[in-house]
Amino acid sequence: MAEEPTGLKAKSGIELLTMGTPNGFKVSVLLEELKDAYGQEYTWQSININKNTQKQPWYTALNPNGRIPTIVDHNRDGFPVMEGLAILSYLTRHYDPEHRFSFPLDSDDYSVAEQWMAWQHGGLGPMQGQANHFLRFAKEKIPYPTQRYVGESERLYGILDARLQDRDFVAGPGRGKYSIADMSLIGWVNIANFSGIDLKQFPNVQAWLERIWSRPATPRAFSIPTQSALSNSARAKKFAEGDQEAIKKEEEAATFLKESKEKYGYKYSSP
């Protein structure tokens, strides 16, 4: 078993401190893309949030909020950056000179990408995170917040689906360009089913997800530090293999969600 990190280990380049969560994966996706595009190397360390490694003094000195991910830029005097949105913006500002995954600062496309990243950071991520908590993790099964947060997540997926109606990617001219606006979302969409979201209801989002997964950098990024057992594909594999415990838990969650929605008269509506 690998030892828990007790501090930084790199002396140059970007060092990523992360775990296999939607917020963690968004940064590893960009770093893998930057490696393919520019040869930009980076190192990473696994931060076990279940052991509160992110609360240790050495870590909170870099990230006062005590969350993942964090990057440290050893090329710029060990400058630390916390929060996924800020990290994506920082990395493209300093390491994407050709704007392969970003847009020029003075362009309208820059603003559009920024708007969708803010939408994810303030909307989809927090709402889906709460949906996960009340549907899957809360010790008490409480119907109202469960249907409230899953329902709000569904509403937001409807907005994303409408955005992708005639587009390949969220931001950029024409049908769009793969950018940090997409990367900010990919980790969350990749666990949609775990959150009680049926992606079949959102075919444009489903196609967008498949499009991004076809990129060589994506599967590599989603193995840093480890692949998530909560991903749509990992869960589908368990069900297909006849994992009875997983199937039972899924049936129980689906029944609870259905009953919670019925109790409060939930009806899907977006926007």
Side-chain angles (χ1 to χ4, degrees):
M1 182 178 294
E3 294 184 4
E4 285 293 296
T6 57
L8 300 173
K9 68 178 184 180
K11 300 297 182 183
S12 62
I14 304 296
E15 184 166 353
L16 169 64
L17 308 171
T18 192
M19 190 175 177
T21 70
N23 286 329
F25 287 134
K26 68 176 68 169
V27 178
S28 59
V29 166
L30 176 56
L31 285 168
E32 285 295 321
E33 291 286 359
L34 291 175
K35 183 166 67 174
D36 283 355
Y38 299 103
Q40 176 65 47
E41 296 292 338
Y42 71 99
T43 57
W44 58 268
Q45 293 198 72
S46 179
I47 303 298
N48 192 335
I49 62 177
N50 297 316
K51 294 184 177 180
N52 278 332
T53 305
Q54 78 283 8
K55 304 297 185 183
Q56 294 181 7
W58 73 268
Y59 189 92
T60 57
L62 303 168
N63 183 333
N65 197 35
R67 297 288 191 270
I68 62 95
T70 301
I71 64 163
V72 176
D73 190 346
H74 295 286
N75 294 334
R76 302 186 67 250
D77 299 320
F79 186 74
V81 188
M82 65 177 185
E83 296 295 326
L85 187 155
I87 293 171
L88 295 180
S89 297
Y90 175 90
L91 287 172
T92 49
R93 188 161 60 249
H94 291 281
Y95 295 100
D96 184 24
E98 299 174 9
H99 298 295
R100 297 192 189 186
F101 310 108
S102 58
F103 304 95
L105 181 59
D106 60 353
S107 69
D108 288 344
D109 289 322
Y110 179 95
S111 177
V112 171
E114 185 178 53
Q115 291 170 52
W116 282 98
M117 291 171 69
W119 178 83
Q120 181 279 312
H121 197 265
L124 185 69
M127 293 301 101
Q128 194 173 336
Q130 292 297 326
N132 292 345
H133 176 77
F134 285 103
L135 179 62
R136 305 288 182 177
F137 299 123
K139 292 181 180 180
E140 296 180 53
K141 294 299 183 183
I142 310 174
Y144 180 76
T146 301
Q147 60 87 35
R148 167 72 177 89
Y149 288 114
V150 174
E152 177 63 4
S153 297
E154 286 181 337
R155 184 188 75 83
L156 293 166
Y157 269 75
I159 291 171
L160 181 59
D161 197 69
R163 175 63 177 175
L164 294 167
Q165 178 69 46
D166 299 309
R167 300 179 62 89
D168 294 327
F169 300 107
V170 170
R175 295 193 63 85
K177 179 182 79 173
Y178 184 51
S179 74
I180 54 177
D182 303 284
M183 296 176 199
S184 72
L185 290 159
I186 184 67
W188 291 102
V189 178
N190 198 51
I191 62 164
N193 294 342
F194 181 79
S195 309
I197 308 297
D198 183 1
L199 279 184
K200 294 186 182 69
Q201 186 178 350
F202 307 105
N204 299 319
V205 177
Q206 178 78 62
W208 168 88
L209 179 64
E210 293 170 357
R211 200 172 296 124
I212 294 175
W213 266 99
S214 70
R215 298 179 66 88
T218 306
R220 297 200 311 266
F222 273 83
S223 67
I224 296 172
T226 56
Q227 294 181 1
S228 173
L230 308 184
S231 71
N232 301 331
S233 58
R235 285 164 46 77
K237 183 179 179 182
K238 277 189 174 184
F239 301 150
E241 291 173 347
D243 186 322
Q244 293 305 307
E245 182 179 357
I247 292 171
K248 181 182 178 181
K249 286 183 178 180
E250 185 62 19
E251 289 174 346
E252 290 174 349
T255 298
F256 173 59
L257 177 57
K258 181 176 182 292
E259 291 174 348
S260 298
K261 288 180 173 180
E262 289 174 349
K263 181 174 182 178
Y264 290 96
Y266 168 84
K267 290 183 174 57
Y268 168 75
S269 177
S270 185

